[in-house]
């Protein structure tokens, strides 16, 4: 007897095998003929396998007929070709063991059709639903594609720290990491004395692994980091999390064009892999979540991304004849409404905007010869807006120091980072792809809280 998954049991090749399945009951239906149908799921795939439990089973009357939705079971039996429509196989049980019951009165997933808002309140149980099972499998596939893509191209995976003293993005949206007692902090001159703190200086959760991964790019060539990042911005939007996962490749001797080429190939690879390896889940998204999902992904796969300077994008938006919630002017940041207009209505394809005003972007981006813009690029996709942010980095020491001062940062605090320009500096570039924005884009889900297992947002760190 082989222990196999529901995914394996659903394949026609399994017919004739004696197997053991372990999982959770989605539904039980008792037939007038004195036997029961159990729809079993174990998370290995979207579909259930139908188990036929005959009335002859010793515990049929006492247990099988009382199996509730959500109960865990072990089932032994033979895989048979199924006479029913829509399934290749079913399992004729020779033994059904109830492992853990789920009370029919109180089990929150007793009925189908809960709203995503409600399911957020039971985030520990929602992976048992079709949608969240599909999301979990898709996240897994995208994570695998990220490693496959970079490993195949000779990139080195670098583990950058979670705790850091540097504010990479300069936005100041940092979570402080401290062991100081908030009720009686050590003080000097009326202010908290962080030299007495655990790290002997202020420390934070990282907003990005970029600065540290640059150190490895500037010694090992092509590298990437992939891990959780944290932003304490108070953005209650369907596209922002306080804790999200980001993959950040960084390449020595790459300029902005090389960076864009890599970003485009990378995103297309992720899409192709999802369509190939998550076909059943992608079909589910297309049927239940977003009818446009396949058309949108095919469009992205089959078209080159449009590369448009920021200045040209501003002209397009000014001429769009629209009233915007946030005013459009050269030097203003583009908001989601502008990004989505460009990619969904104007160009109708992914757009890479580049050469943004220097005032809008962090200190580390390379200043262009015009002195006004920097070698930044944002990749915008239909349905989501910004999915990637990147740049060519400023490799010239004097200009980098000037940019830090311009943005109110003290170069002394970034001495180690400046050393990378002091000793053997090289042109280099990189970008960051948000994992959750990618899952939104692939699945058509509307809210970023529903594409991460346990979302952290302002006012919410349950579970
Ligand atoms: O544009 P961002 O802020 O770029 C960086 O952090 C650079 N250091 C990356 C680099 O060049 N190595 O963030 C990159 C991406 C965004 O395009 C978006 O997909 C995602 O990270 N992102 C968020 N996702 C969810 N919630 C948030 N609050 C996010 N902020 C950024
Ligand atoms: Mg950005």
């Amino acid at each position: 007897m082989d222990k196999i998954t529901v995914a394996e049991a659903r394949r026609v090749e399994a017919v004739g095998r004696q197997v053991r399945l372990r999982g959770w009951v989605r539904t039980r239906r008792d037939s007038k003929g004195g036997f029961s149908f159990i729809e079993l799921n174990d998370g290995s795939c979207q579909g259930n396998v139908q188990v036929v439990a005959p009335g002859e089973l010793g515990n049929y009357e006492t247990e099988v007929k009382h199996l509730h939705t959500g109960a865990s079971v072990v089932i032994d039996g033979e895989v048979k070709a199924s006479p029913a429509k829509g399934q290749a196989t079913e399992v004729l049980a020779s033994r059904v063991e109830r492992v853990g019951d789920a009370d029919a009165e109180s089990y929150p997933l007793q009925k189908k059709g809960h709203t995503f808002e409600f399911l957020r309140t039971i985030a520990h149980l929602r992976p048992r639903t079709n949608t969240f099972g599909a999301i979990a499998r898709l996240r897994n596939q995208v994570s695998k594609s990220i490693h496959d893509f970079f490993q195949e191209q000779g990139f080195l995976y670098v583990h950058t720290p979670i705790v850091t003293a540097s504010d990479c993005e300069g936005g100041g949206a940092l979570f402080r990491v401290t062991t100081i007692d908030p009720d009686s902090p050590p003080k000097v001159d009326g202010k908290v004395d962080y030299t007495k703190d655990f790290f002997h200086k202020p420390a934070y959760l990282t907003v990005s692994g970029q600065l540290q991964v640059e150190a490895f790019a500037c010694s090992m060539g092509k590298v990437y980091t992939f891990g959780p990042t944290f932003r304490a911005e108070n953005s209650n939007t369907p596209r922002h999390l306080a804790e999200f996962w980001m993959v950040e490749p960084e390449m020595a001797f790459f300029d902005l064009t090389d960076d864009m080429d890599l970003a485009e190939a990378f995103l297309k690879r992720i899409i192709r892999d999802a369509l190939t390896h998550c076909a059943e889940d992608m079909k589910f998204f297309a049927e239940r979540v977003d009818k446009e999902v396949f058309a949108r992904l095919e469009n992205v796969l089959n078209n080159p991304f449009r590369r448009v300077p920021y200045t040209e994008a501003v002209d397009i938006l000014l001429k769009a004849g629209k009233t915007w919630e946030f005013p459009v002017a050269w030097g203003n940041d583009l908001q989601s409404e502008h990004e989505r207009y460009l990619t969904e209505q104007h160009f109708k394809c992914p757009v890479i905007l580049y050469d943004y005003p220097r005032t809008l972007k962090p200190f580390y981006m390379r200043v262009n010869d015009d002195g006004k813009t920097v070698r930044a690029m944002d990749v915008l996709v239909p349905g989501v807006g910004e999915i990637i942010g990147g740049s060519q980095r400023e490799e010239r020491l004097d200009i980098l120091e000037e940019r830090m001062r311009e943005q109110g940062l003290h170069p002394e605090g970034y001495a180690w980072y400046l050393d990378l320009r002091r000793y053997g500096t090289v042109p280099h570039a990189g970008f960051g792809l948000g994992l959750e924005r990618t899952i939104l884009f692939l699945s058509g889900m509307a809210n970023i809280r529903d594409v991460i297992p346990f979302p952290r947002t302002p006012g919410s760190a349950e579970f």
Side-chain angles (χ1 to χ4, degrees):
M1 170 139 354
D2 299 324
K3 293 171 184 154
I4 67 169
T5 61
V6 167
E8 290 168 287
R10 280 167 55 86
R11 287 186 207 120
V12 69
E13 303 83 69
V15 170
R17 287 177 72 184
Q18 295 293 332
V19 299
R20 173 167 292 177
L21 294 164
R22 281 99 34 107
W24 291 266
V25 174
R26 281 291 172 85
T27 57
R28 189 204 79 246
R29 188 159 54 83
D30 302 325
S31 156
K32 288 204 186 72
F35 59 95
S36 300
F37 294 109
I38 299 166
E39 290 288 326
L40 186 74
N41 193 283
D42 65 358
S44 58
C45 62
Q46 179 66 238
N48 308 320
V49 71
Q50 176 170 288
V51 176
V52 181
E56 292 75 39
L57 294 174
N59 62 347
Y60 185 76
E61 290 296 333
T62 53
E63 280 189 358
V64 176
K65 274 184 83 175
H66 306 283
L67 281 175
H68 299 123
T69 296
S72 51
V73 289
V74 176
I75 287 169
D76 294 344
E78 183 179 331
V79 183
K80 305 243 179 202
S82 175
K85 251 187 151 183
Q87 59 190 39
T89 65
E90 61 186 30
V91 173
L92 178 61
S94 52
R95 188 177 83 95
V96 174
E97 178 194 344
R98 183 173 67 185
V99 178
D101 200 4
D103 179 55
E105 289 297 307
S106 61
Y107 183 55
L109 295 173
Q110 188 60 236
K111 290 202 190 70
K112 282 186 163 187
H114 291 299
T115 63
F116 291 146
E117 287 78 7
F118 171 74
L119 291 172
R120 270 173 231 150
T121 70
I122 52 163
H124 57 304
L125 293 174
R126 65 181 186 170
R128 295 188 188 187
T129 64
N130 289 332
T131 305
F132 291 91
I135 292 288
R137 286 184 294 270
L138 183 59
R139 270 186 83 98
N140 173 67
Q141 175 55 51
V142 173
S143 305
K144 181 171 186 302
S145 298
I146 286 169
H147 288 296
D148 287 348
F149 179 83
F150 289 123
Q151 294 289 332
E152 285 164 20
Q153 298 200 28
F155 281 66
L156 196 82
Y157 179 30
V158 174
H159 305 108
T160 49
I162 302 291
V163 176
T164 175
S166 329
D167 178 4
C168 174
E169 295 304 295
L174 300 157
F175 288 102
R176 189 183 289 282
V177 177
T178 179
T179 52
I180 285 178
D181 178 357
D183 291 327
S184 61
K187 289 201 168 174
V188 271
D189 304 331
K191 286 192 173 155
V192 176
D193 181 6
Y194 285 105
T195 65
K196 302 256 163 52
D197 201 354
F198 189 91
F199 297 106
H200 298 189
K201 55 158 54 178
Y204 310 92
L205 293 179
T206 189
V207 296
S208 154
Q210 180 197 322
L211 300 187
Q212 290 89 351
V213 93
E214 278 188 51
F216 281 78
C218 295
S219 47
M220 314 200 73
K222 295 196 289 185
V223 298
Y224 67 107
T225 182
F226 180 30
T229 49
F230 306 86
R231 305 218 174 161
E233 50 199 21
N234 200 4
S235 313
N236 261 308
T237 81
R239 279 172 240 295
H240 287 88
L241 290 164
E243 176 181 295
F244 64 98
W245 281 65
M246 179 158 55
V247 51
E248 297 180 274
E250 189 74 31
M251 297 72 62
F253 305 104
F254 266 49
D255 65 14
L256 192 69
T257 306
D258 301 325
D259 204 30
M260 291 182 190
D261 291 345
L262 185 77
E264 181 168 342
F266 178 47
L267 207 51
K268 287 182 172 174
R269 166 65 179 272
I270 289 174
I271 297 170
R272 258 196 308 275
D273 280 358
L275 292 172
T276 312
H277 302 300
C278 291
E280 193 190 19
D281 290 320
M282 291 303 300
K283 193 164 155 274
F284 173 84
F285 293 129
E287 282 167 5
R288 301 295 183 85
V289 174
D290 177 6
K291 290 192 174 51
E292 304 298 315
V293 77
F294 284 125
R296 195 172 59 237
L297 297 181
E298 294 294 338
N299 169 281
V300 173
L301 273 185
N302 297 329
N303 290 296
F305 294 8
R306 282 295 288 265
R307 302 181 184 190
V308 184
Y310 166 91
T311 303
E312 198 180 311
V314 168
D315 280 344
I316 292 168
L317 293 168
L318 287 172
K319 290 189 189 127
K322 294 221 160 211
T323 42
W324 305 104
E325 192 187 337
F326 296 92
V328 175
W330 199 95
N332 287 6
D333 219 350
L334 297 183
Q335 304 293 330
S336 181
E337 55 172 340
H338 311 127
E339 294 175 347
R340 296 188 61 172
Y341 173 80
L342 290 168
T343 158
E344 287 164 26
Q345 295 184 45
H346 189 82
F347 291 110
K348 298 191 167 58
C349 69
V351 179
I352 307 183
L353 293 186
Y354 64 97
D355 287 351
Y356 280 74
R358 69 190 280 164
T359 48
L360 289 183
K361 292 292 185 184
F363 65 91
Y364 55 71
M365 296 189 178
R366 193 178 200 278
V367 179
N368 278 310
D369 291 342
D370 65 11
K372 291 190 307 191
T373 58
V374 289
R375 299 247 81 189
M377 64 129 179
D378 279 359
V379 180
L380 318 179
V381 292
V384 171
E386 182 196 333
I387 194 164
I388 287 177
S391 66
Q392 186 172 334
R393 317 309 188 190
E394 184 55 78
E395 84 283 12
R396 297 161 296 185
L397 180 64
D398 51 336
I399 299 178
L400 184 56
E401 288 177 325
E402 176 194 322
R403 285 275 288 153
M404 286 181 166
R405 285 193 208 94
E406 173 184 305
Q407 301 208 347
L409 300 169
H410 301 293
E412 313 81 66
Y414 293 83
W416 68 269
Y417 184 70
L418 294 170
D419 271 356
L420 302 175
R421 279 68 181 168
R422 213 170 262 126
Y423 309 119
T425 191
V426 282
H428 60 290
F431 62 81
L433 170 77
L435 179 65
E436 289 73 23
R437 300 245 179 121
T438 308
I439 305 295
L440 281 179
F441 172 61
L442 291 171
S443 65
M445 292 288 284
N447 196 312
I448 200 162
R449 293 168 174 82
D450 299 329
V451 297
I452 187 164
F454 297 102
R456 271 83 182 94
T457 51
S460 166
E462 214 22 65
F463 309 101

